[in-house]
Amino acid sequence: MATLTKASRRDFLKIAGTSVGGLVIGFSWYSCDSPKMEVLSTDEILSQAKSFNSYLSISPTGDVVIYSPNPELGQNIKTSFPMVVAEELDADWEKVRVLQANLDTEKYDRQLTGGSGAMPHSWERLRKAGATAKFVLVAAAAKAWNVDASEITVEKGIISHKGSGKTGHFGEFVVEAATMTAPEEVTLKDKKDFKIIGTAVKNVDAKEMYTGKPMYGLDFYREGMLHAMIQRAPFGMKIKSVDDSAARGVSGVKDVVTFGTSVAVVGESTWPLMKAKKLLRIDYEPDGAVESTADHDRIFAELMANGKGEVKRKDGDFDAAIKNAAQVVTAEYQCPFVAHSPMEPENFFAHVQGDKVELIGPTQTPDRARQATAQLLGIPPENITVEITRLGGGFGRRLRADFVEEAVEVSRAMNAPVKVTWSREDELTGGAYRPAVRYRFEAGLDASGNMIAYKLRGVGMNAGNCTRENNFPSGAVENVLIESIEHKSSITTNAWRAPITNFLAYAEQSFLDEVALAAGKDPVQFRLDLLQQAKTSPVGGELGYDVDRMIGVVKAAAEKSNWGKDPNVKQGFSVYYSHRSYVAQVADIVMEGGSPVLKKVTAVTDCGMVVNPTGANHQVRGGIVDGMGHAMYGNLTFENGVPKQKNFDSYRLIRMKEVPEIDTHFLDTGFDPTGLGEPALPPTGGAIANAIFSATGRRLRSQPFIEQKEFSDIKLEIRRA
């Protein structure tokens, strides 16, 4: 069945004659930059193209089609993945088309977006995909020209033999090359010879995005499909009774479907469903603990004081060391539940037809969507297809499949294709939040101001292990005790950008500043001294971080920010390791008219080789803005299992005018690419909080900042330097 987009039904792409079918989004910078040139459509190219492996096909015209398997939600993977393939292929980037691959677990072994792991996992696979294709193309050319393959060179899609002067583009050799067996092992390029990797390449979807082309899940439309919107039960509650008579009376409503703890109104478009949903009369009854924010505060206090902690790390004898310390520093830090708030609320299309299902929409984990559907319906996973649209953000929320299951439930009940759409209110009240966490820190100093004891005790709401026991400063302190306590809450939680570390980094880095102050030491030098200890005389077991790489970003950030050089600039420092990468940040605040003004954030990142500087810069900046906004404003509170904040009028997000100057730097340490979608977020809150303390003497130990009593008479302004 044809897949259409409501914005322009003539603009759909039907990919035929290839191993990857269905709804895909294609783009060519070649056609974009040269609009007057007559070029083949992606359909036409693929109809002639030969497939060389799971990642690429090449047409006799010389055009290259590269498939990007991982969902694209703004992390730029749909551009950087093809860049890696094209680099080893020695393709002409202007002749490259990029398509979003659909779910295919036989071809791709990690087809998901999460944990900043896409590029680290796929780096070598992508390179080999390009290199093996080039190998057989060169072999085909050598056979055609009767020359030795070692005498052939390739550049920008042109194959050349200097001795004979013969040249030809990729397309001239694809038919023969496609019959050849690619080697299992192939020589990859020396990094110094890269021509595409490391250059600033435009986002392959940029034109579609800024011209409003339909490409997101919310854009998806199919003739004859139904729409559904859903009322979900409060946390800890279940449905007792439903009166849907008023909702059914709304024009455009076809049916009302109840399943589990949810009630769906189904109709021809979303507008009447929004009205009908408000007319539902649903009585609920408890189904476990029904919690409010006041309960959470009480639970935190009780478990912090008396809860049995699971020991995650124990080096030396903390109790003895703290007893003999010349000075003891203690502090508690707490963060609330927060929502993911992607620009595009959750939505998904499902068409259940007997024992077969078609799924289409924005998901970070397409295989989880398929597996959840298979389990729900009791059918084999191979009977389910999943097509991936571009995601309008996710930040971990779309790792879940609850919204997919909703679409499947309603499609099964209606025996029709159905698209479920969440409103902003649904997104903020629909659960799967960042866990609320409280930490208690305790540090002991000797008479010389050296930290000789360190304890972290964490209590999390559905957070699992709310510590990262092998992260800094573990390994740098002789006596360490780290404990984690879990409270099973009825409030559902999920991974949220940089899980756990998004707040743990803020708490740890703020506390280390408190300890440095008590020791009478510069905060940067205090960290460097600890890192030197971890390097020369590491304590205990595993170190979860590379000491030299962390030292590198600390020193570089201090240098790039002119740390401590201007007495009129009050600075805060923070450094953190997460998702295989290292980021150090410095926030600059000046006092103007008695108010602190955040002027600048300097960030130094070691994420290994930077594939695309444009995308990398956006990721770091985006992480800083996200980290700053949620540290300043983000807060979900609850009353009897219901979130009080239901839309952006009461759930505050950072605004564009509140973003300071951001100065980004990347260290080239020779490592292969590591994670980048998340590592820039964790250090941000700590850098800003430490700068606020430096400027005002007020220590912020909880988030959001604006709701803390220490912040009550402070108006933090943001102005670009």
Side-chain angles (χ1 to χ4, degrees):
M1 181 179 291
T3 293
L4 306 177
T5 54
K6 204 165 188 177
S8 175
R9 298 183 185 180
R10 294 189 299 271
D11 286 346
F12 74 93
L13 292 173
K14 182 180 67 178
I15 305 304
T18 72
S19 58
V20 181
L23 176 69
V24 291
I25 311 299
F27 184 78
S28 167
W29 279 114
Y30 183 63
S31 59
C32 173
D33 291 340
S34 305
K36 295 182 180 180
M37 295 178 63
E38 184 175 353
V39 296
L40 294 175
S41 69
T42 304
D43 280 356
E44 292 169 323
I45 292 170
L46 285 170
S47 68
Q48 311 169 52
K50 299 294 182 181
S51 176
F52 285 82
N53 51 56
S54 301
Y55 293 95
L56 70 97
S57 297
I58 303 175
S59 164
T61 62
D63 292 284
V64 178
V65 176
I66 300 178
Y67 293 97
S68 183
N70 291 52
E72 171 62 69
L73 51 75
Q75 81 281 35
N76 211 43
I77 208 71
K78 192 176 173 185
T79 302
S80 56
F81 264 25
M83 287 175 65
V84 178
V85 177
E87 178 65 71
E88 291 288 352
L89 181 62
D90 273 316
D92 180 357
W93 185 253
E94 300 296 322
K95 299 281 282 181
V96 170
R97 313 286 179 102
V98 178
L99 296 178
Q100 175 68 60
N102 295 326
L103 175 65
D104 192 329
T105 54
E106 293 184 2
K107 291 183 177 180
Y108 312 109
D109 62 349
R110 189 189 183 275
Q111 204 171 355
L112 62 89
T113 294
S116 298
M119 185 59 75
H121 174 270
S122 299
W123 171 247
E124 186 172 332
R125 291 170 174 81
L126 295 166
R127 294 183 69 186
K128 285 184 175 179
T132 53
K134 184 173 77 170
F135 182 94
V136 293
L137 286 166
V138 168
K143 180 179 178 180
W145 296 337
N146 195 27
V147 299
D148 195 298
S150 65
E151 299 172 356
I152 289 177
T153 59
V154 183
E155 185 173 0
K156 298 187 74 172
I158 302 299
I159 303 174
S160 304
H161 181 251
K162 187 175 182 180
S164 63
K166 293 180 178 179
T167 64
H169 62 69
F170 284 162
E172 297 175 41
F173 306 101
V174 295
V175 174
E176 177 65 27
T179 68
M180 296 180 168
T181 302
E184 291 186 9
E185 297 297 329
V186 66
T187 301
L188 301 177
K189 282 185 176 183
D190 191 305
K191 294 177 182 178
K192 65 179 177 59
D193 297 324
F194 286 166
K195 297 181 176 65
I196 297 175
I197 292 174
T199 64
V201 173
K202 294 180 285 187
N203 187 312
V204 296
D205 282 338
K207 184 181 180 183
E208 274 87 348
M209 288 189 286
Y210 66 66
T211 57
K213 296 292 184 182
M215 58 196 306
Y216 296 93
L218 281 177
D219 296 320
F220 177 80
Y221 173 80
R222 175 171 291 173
E223 195 72 52
M225 76 178 188
L226 297 174
H227 292 267
M229 300 193 79
I230 297 171
Q231 181 63 52
R232 299 161 191 87
F235 299 107
M237 306 282 273
K238 63 181 179 180
I239 295 174
K240 183 177 181 181
S241 64
V242 178
D243 178 357
D244 58 17
S245 55
R248 288 180 180 276
V250 175
S251 177
V253 172
K254 282 188 165 295
D255 205 350
V256 178
V257 176
T258 299
F259 58 94
T261 59
S262 300
V263 180
V265 287
V266 187
E268 299 168 351
S269 64
T270 55
W271 182 247
L273 301 185
M274 291 182 185
K275 179 180 179 181
K277 183 180 165 186
K278 294 178 181 178
L279 297 176
L280 290 170
R281 295 294 175 259
I282 307 173
D283 288 331
Y284 297 101
E285 59 185 354
D287 185 28
V290 180
E291 298 175 351
S292 300
T293 296
D295 298 316
H296 297 151
D297 291 337
R298 173 182 52 78
I299 291 167
F300 273 139
E302 291 174 353
L303 290 178
M304 188 62 75
N306 303 308
K308 181 175 174 53
E310 179 183 356
V311 176
K312 308 303 292 187
R313 183 171 181 130
K314 188 177 189 298
D315 298 332
D317 188 337
F318 172 82
D319 291 335
I322 205 73
K323 182 178 180 180
N324 296 318
Q327 188 176 178
V328 176
V329 183
T330 61
E332 288 193 11
Y333 288 77
Q334 183 172 321
C335 72
F337 292 97
V338 295
H340 295 78
S341 304
M343 182 67 73
E344 176 191 27
E346 287 72 27
N347 63 91
F348 226 81
F349 169 89
H351 191 186
V352 178
Q353 301 175 80
D355 66 347
K356 291 182 170 53
V357 183
E358 180 185 17
L359 300 175
I360 301 174
T363 171
Q364 292 179 241
T365 50
D367 193 46
R368 177 176 289 180
R370 180 169 68 173
Q371 296 297 333
T373 299
Q375 183 175 1
L376 178 65
L377 299 180
I379 62 175
E382 54 268 25
N383 288 11
I384 303 165
T385 62
V386 184
E387 299 178 11
I388 310 164
T389 63
R390 190 178 176 97
L391 288 67
F395 313 110
R397 183 59 181 85
R398 288 186 163 99
L399 291 169
R400 290 172 69 98
D402 52 339
F403 49 93
V404 180
E405 294 177 87
E406 290 176 343
V408 172
E409 287 272 23
V410 181
S411 176
R412 175 172 61 173
M414 298 298 297
N415 193 28
V418 171
K419 180 179 177 181
V420 165
T421 301
W422 290 32
S423 65
R424 179 59 61 192
E425 288 83 358
D426 293 328
E427 197 278 325
L428 281 173
T429 61
Y433 308 117
R434 180 188 75 176
V437 182
R438 180 180 290 184
Y439 295 112
R440 175 183 290 169
F441 294 91
E442 194 171 358
L445 299 171
D446 64 16
S448 299
N450 300 308
M451 187 160 67
I452 58 171
Y454 175 83
K455 180 179 179 180
L456 165 61
R457 182 175 169 89
V459 179
M461 304 275 178
N462 295 340
N465 176 15
C466 63
T467 72
R468 291 295 180 264
E469 61 273 11
N470 296 322
N471 276 11
F472 179 76
S474 290
V477 183
E478 291 181 14
N479 304 285
V480 169
L481 180 59
I482 298 178
E483 300 173 335
S484 179
I485 302 172
E486 170 85 335
H487 168 68
K488 296 296 185 183
S489 172
S490 58
I491 311 296
T492 59
T493 62
N494 199 56
W496 189 94
R497 192 175 189 177
I500 301 301
T501 63
N502 53 61
F503 178 71
L504 177 58
Y506 157 75
E508 286 182 344
Q509 291 297 305
S510 294
F511 180 68
L512 285 178
D513 257 40
E514 295 195 59
V515 180
L517 178 66
K521 296 183 178 181
D522 173 81
V524 171
Q525 191 58 51
F526 182 71
R527 289 169 173 82
L528 288 173
D529 290 344
L530 286 170
L531 287 166
Q532 189 62 33
Q533 170 73 17
K535 180 177 181 178
T536 58
S537 303
V539 178
E542 177 186 353
L543 281 186
Y545 57 99
D546 184 312
V547 176
D548 287 327
R549 293 180 74 180
M550 185 169 277
I551 289 174
V553 295
V554 170
K555 289 183 175 180
E559 176 189 351
K560 297 296 184 182
S561 66
N562 294 315
W563 175 262
K565 298 292 180 63
D566 187 344
N568 295 317
V569 178
K570 306 304 180 182
Q571 296 178 302
F573 189 88
S574 182
V575 61
Y576 211 72
Y577 161 79
S578 71
H579 298 87
R580 310 171 191 84
S581 294
Y582 302 78
V583 182
Q585 295 178 15
V586 176
D588 290 355
I589 286 181
V590 297
M591 299 297 291
E592 295 182 2
S595 296
V597 179
L598 177 63
K599 291 292 188 87
K600 182 179 180 180
V601 175
T602 301
V604 174
T605 301
D606 177 0
C607 59
M609 170 160 280
V610 174
V611 174
N612 185 352
T614 298
N617 185 49
H618 291 168
Q619 285 299 293
V620 172
R621 290 172 180 269
I624 290 171
V625 172
D626 206 7
M628 175 183 172
H630 284 89
M632 289 287 295
Y633 307 116
N635 190 15
L636 273 177
T637 58
F638 298 84
E639 186 67 37
N640 296 323
V642 178
K644 290 183 178 180
Q645 296 76 20
K646 295 179 171 58
N647 210 318
F648 291 150
D649 60 336
S650 55
Y651 186 80
R652 178 81 152 81
L653 293 178
I654 192 170
R655 297 180 171 93
M656 292 180 67
K657 68 179 182 179
E658 295 170 331
V659 178
E661 177 185 350
I662 299 174
D663 184 22
T664 61
H665 304 271
F666 296 86
L667 298 186
D668 182 2
T669 50
F671 290 89
D672 288 346
T674 51
L676 193 54
E678 292 158 287
L681 186 151
T684 303
I688 294 173
N690 290 336
I692 290 172
F693 176 82
S694 179
T696 67
R698 309 284 184 88
R699 181 69 67 183
L700 296 168
R701 295 193 178 94
S702 293
Q703 295 180 359
F705 294 167
I706 60 168
E707 295 185 17
Q708 307 312 309
K709 66 180 186 301
E710 294 85 358
F711 211 73
S712 60
D713 59 347
I714 295 177
K715 181 183 179 183
L716 177 66
E717 299 180 28
I718 296 94
R719 300 177 200 155
R720 291 180 177 271

